[in-house]
Amino acid sequence: MTAAVATRAVAPARSPGFGAVLRAEWIKFWSVRSTTWSVAMLFVLGAGLTVLVCASSAEWLASSEADESPASFVTWGLMIAQVTAVVLGTLVATAEYGTGMIRATLAAVPRRGAVLAAKAVVLTGTLLVAGTVTAFVGYLGGNAFLSAEGIGLSLDDEGVLRALFGSGLYLAGLGLLSMAAGLLIRHTAAALSTVLGLVFVVGNMAFVLPGAWGEWIAKVLPGNAGSVVATPVHFNPSLLEPWAGFALFAAEVAVLLAVAAMAFRRRDA
Amino acid sequence: MIVARELTKTYGTRTAVDGISFTVEPGHVTGFLGPNGAGKSTTMRMVLGPDRPTSGSVTVNGRRYADSPAPLREVGALLEARAVHPGRTARTHLRWLAASNALPASRVDAVLGLVGLEGVADQRVGRFSLGMGQRLGIAVALLGDPGVVVLDEPVNGLDPEGIRWVRTLARQLAAEGRTVFVSSHLMAEMALTADHLVVIGRGRVLADCPTSEFLARHAASHVRVRSPRAAELAALLRRSGPDVTVDGDSGELRVRGLDAAGVGDLAGAHGLILHELTLVQSSLEDAFMTLTADSVEYGAAPAGAAR
């Protein structure tokens, strides 16, 4: 028995760094169908609906009856496509709990902070790129119809470039917000309903709140504060300035993420 | 080597694991035995880190699992066979695990071959049978070629051939000098697989000894003897030694503390006719049930008294 013990050479423990954790999360992220689906839907809805809406509204926007700016339409699809960012962000967290995989994850990488950071980087990177590319494609397609009516926007026009990159930024932030909610709630349906309810339902209902107080509440809700940056000219003029709104949104995401990280490090998996 | 010291886990007011201490040595298969709900899985999860002990400590090779630089190279674990996203293939599941610990990609194919899943490696895990899922879990445990292997209920859902495969594998891993810690609620299986047993019930250690010693101590045997002059024989037996106990009636006696030869010799010396002389070995399951039933009674009594 003693001889047998001696024959087993202990492999030198090379400590895998953050890069290894990142690679693992990257493989995990892209090896489930929900990711491909969500990213495809993000693109189809985000770019497709923008083109569709621009095509169908171009004539009206160019007419004297128009009471909206064409600049509000070049990233129109992203308003709908943001749902997919919420889904993607939520699933990154809740799929682990729903399947019990979180135990395998933490057994492989007990440094929970590293797991969380890797998930955040993979999710943010993907949404940043997918959101920005989608916004550019939607702009190029939709703007072609606007230009045909003589009301096209150039990339140099105020807010256009900001909105295109802002779309990526906003979706990435929304993904992180959803991931944080997913980590706290740990249940796909519950986390999804919470975030979608907060961003879409509560966010829109808040505008009917009376008085300056109500207006203020509506402005600071994450979906309202964060989405201004993603449109050259927002439909709703009462919202915060683009970068001020986004800064507030980023702070809200950071706070929720910090709470989620604290819970993730403390709670049993 | 796994060392647990006064390991305790409470969930609210319920104590799942109640101050247990044990050591799992390399080169042996250590069986972790207890009825369902005894705290086996909770203990194993505390060894591996997803659950934190309420108090006490558990170390693997002298340090906390979470402090291991490359945990999969050090400890391989099957905690839950179904801790896999059903939409992922067996190969991608192993690939991300290998990536997380910077293990060479060749290990993925190696363990797939080892557990016999090469043919279905690119199928989604959701389609796997219970037994295939279990094999994938074992592949995960062996991925990092670890010195310590922890298997929680590895034979669940396996067919007889699979059960034998796990048994052989566990013994082989131990023979290679690894520390092998296997939980089960099946006493008979553990008796065949494990060299050493840690038995728990209601979150407490009931026994911690070599399997052979456990069997000798707890798998009670007695001699069944039938005689037309049973009453006389019983009186003789009782006088024969301080450890001898006799019970039974209507001509059939159960003798403990004396083997069949001893009973036969005694009867012969006194000219008593025997109609039957049989050594009755109670099953391991019986021994296990007796031991754990005591722990249930032990646990229930104080609760009743408190009312």
Side-chain angles (χ1 to χ4, degrees):
Chain A
M1 199 66 84
T2 327
V5 175
T7 55
R8 205 193 115 72
V10 177
R14 186 161 61 91
S15 179
F18 184 66
V21 185
L22 202 57
R23 269 198 59 209
E25 287 300 329
W26 180 259
I27 295 172
K28 244 198 250 182
F29 186 71
W30 288 105
S31 57
V32 289
R33 275 181 290 189
S34 58
T35 303
T36 332
W37 270 105
S38 299
V39 174
M41 285 310 285
L42 193 162
F43 181 79
V44 169
L45 291 173
L49 289 178
T50 301
V51 176
L52 212 63
V53 165
C54 286
S56 60
S57 329
E59 203 179 322
W60 172 73
L61 283 168
S63 74
S64 54
E65 296 157 38
D67 53 359
E68 298 282 4
S69 161
S72 299
F73 287 73
V74 290
T75 55
W76 196 92
L78 274 303
M79 279 198 301
I80 309 298
Q82 56 180 325
V83 177
T84 61
V86 173
V87 171
L88 208 51
T90 306
L91 284 178
V92 162
T94 58
E96 296 252 354
Y97 290 98
T99 57
M101 242 207 21
I102 188 67
R103 297 212 162 116
T105 299
L106 295 181
V109 188
R111 291 167 294 142
R112 298 186 181 197
V115 171
L116 194 64
K119 281 187 180 304
V121 169
V122 168
L123 177 70
T124 319
T126 302
L127 285 174
L128 204 60
V129 172
T132 307
V133 168
T134 302
F136 267 94
V137 172
Y139 159 78
L140 292 173
N143 198 47
F145 291 96
L146 299 180
S147 298
E149 296 289 340
I151 50 165
L153 296 122
S154 95
L155 281 174
D156 305 332
D157 284 350
E158 200 197 331
V160 173
L161 263 185
R162 186 258 299 148
L164 298 184
F165 285 106
S167 293
L169 282 173
Y170 172 58
L171 292 191
L174 201 57
L176 280 179
L177 186 82
S178 311
M179 184 180 97
L183 282 172
L184 287 168
I185 298 170
R186 297 182 166 193
H187 189 278
T188 306
L192 265 181
S193 333
T194 306
V195 179
L196 290 177
L198 178 74
V199 172
F200 293 97
V201 183
V202 179
N204 286 319
M205 301 249 293
F207 288 110
V208 305
L209 289 172
W213 178 81
E215 196 179 312
W216 185 78
I217 292 277
K219 275 186 195 179
V220 302
L221 282 168
N224 298 340
S227 61
V228 191
V229 80
T231 323
V233 175
H234 203 276
F235 284 109
N236 190 333
S238 71
L239 292 175
L240 295 170
E241 288 302 304
W243 288 118
F246 187 76
L248 176 64
F249 172 67
E252 290 167 347
V253 172
V255 168
L256 194 67
L257 208 54
V259 173
M262 214 150 64
F264 182 60
R265 294 172 73 110
R266 286 207 188 139
R267 280 153 82 182
D268 287 339
Chain B
M1 184 149 90
I2 303 170
V3 181
R5 288 283 165 266
E6 296 298 320
L7 201 56
T8 301
K9 181 73 183 181
T10 55
Y11 296 102
T13 55
R14 198 174 67 83
T15 302
V17 175
D18 195 358
I20 68 174
S21 300
F22 60 85
T23 301
V24 185
E25 304 271 1
H28 300 275
V29 177
T30 300
F32 194 34
L33 200 60
N36 290 330
K40 300 188 298 294
S41 295
T42 307
T43 303
M44 288 190 149
R45 284 203 302 270
M46 286 191 282
V47 175
L48 275 304
D51 288 14
R52 272 92 188 253
T54 308
S55 66
S57 70
V58 56
T59 56
V60 179
N61 296 339
R63 62 184 160 208
R64 286 193 327 135
Y65 181 81
D67 298 331
S68 173
L72 295 186
R73 288 174 191 266
E74 201 156 349
V75 188
L78 165 76
L79 278 188
E80 282 162 290
R82 286 289 172 182
V84 185
H85 193 293
R88 225 170 249 129
T89 67
R91 192 188 303 280
T92 44
H93 184 63
L94 291 166
R95 267 185 59 222
W96 79 255
L97 280 164
S100 74
N101 275 237
L103 302 172
S106 60
R107 285 298 301 163
V108 171
D109 290 315
V111 292
L112 280 169
L114 190 65
V115 302
L117 287 179
E118 314 98 314
V120 292
D122 296 309
Q123 273 185 32
R124 289 178 199 287
V125 176
R127 291 205 204 124
F128 277 19
S129 68
L130 194 55
M132 286 156 81
Q134 207 73 4
R135 282 170 187 264
L136 175 60
I138 291 169
V140 170
L142 300 179
L143 187 61
D145 194 19
V148 178
V149 180
V150 177
L151 306 173
D152 192 7
E153 304 272 357
V155 300
N156 264 9
L158 291 183
D159 54 16
E161 190 268 326
I163 291 175
R164 211 163 90 167
W165 171 72
V166 169
R167 188 190 305 151
T168 313
L169 180 72
R171 300 210 57 87
Q172 185 193 325
L173 292 170
E176 288 166 9
R178 298 177 215 246
T179 304
V180 184
F181 194 37
V182 185
S183 84
S184 178
H185 58 273
L186 303 171
M187 177 68 213
E189 180 50 38
M190 280 294 99
L192 290 170
T193 312
D195 309 296
H196 192 96
L197 290 178
V198 176
V199 183
I200 69 167
R202 292 234 160 174
R204 289 170 174 274
V205 173
L206 303 175
D208 182 355
C209 59
T211 308
S212 53
E213 192 184 318
F214 178 85
L215 298 182
R217 205 189 312 157
H218 295 286
S221 62
H222 67 266
V223 175
R224 185 168 70 220
V225 47
R226 293 200 305 129
S227 167
R229 291 161 70 185
E232 274 174 71
L233 180 60
L236 274 172
L237 285 164
R238 286 192 182 101
R239 281 201 302 273
S240 68
D243 298 333
V244 181
T245 64
V246 183
D247 58 286
D249 48 21
S250 69
E252 185 180 306
L253 305 175
R254 288 188 296 280
V255 184
R256 290 185 179 79
L258 197 61
D259 60 10
V263 176
D265 289 350
L266 193 68
H270 293 80
L272 298 174
I273 292 164
L274 299 184
H275 288 169
E276 184 187 347
L277 183 61
T278 314
L279 176 68
V280 181
Q281 187 91 41
S282 76
S283 75
L284 299 173
E285 242 80 33
D286 290 344
F288 176 48
M289 296 292 266
T290 313
L291 188 66
T292 52
D294 286 348
S295 82
V296 171
E297 281 165 15
Y298 178 81
R307 257 177 223 124

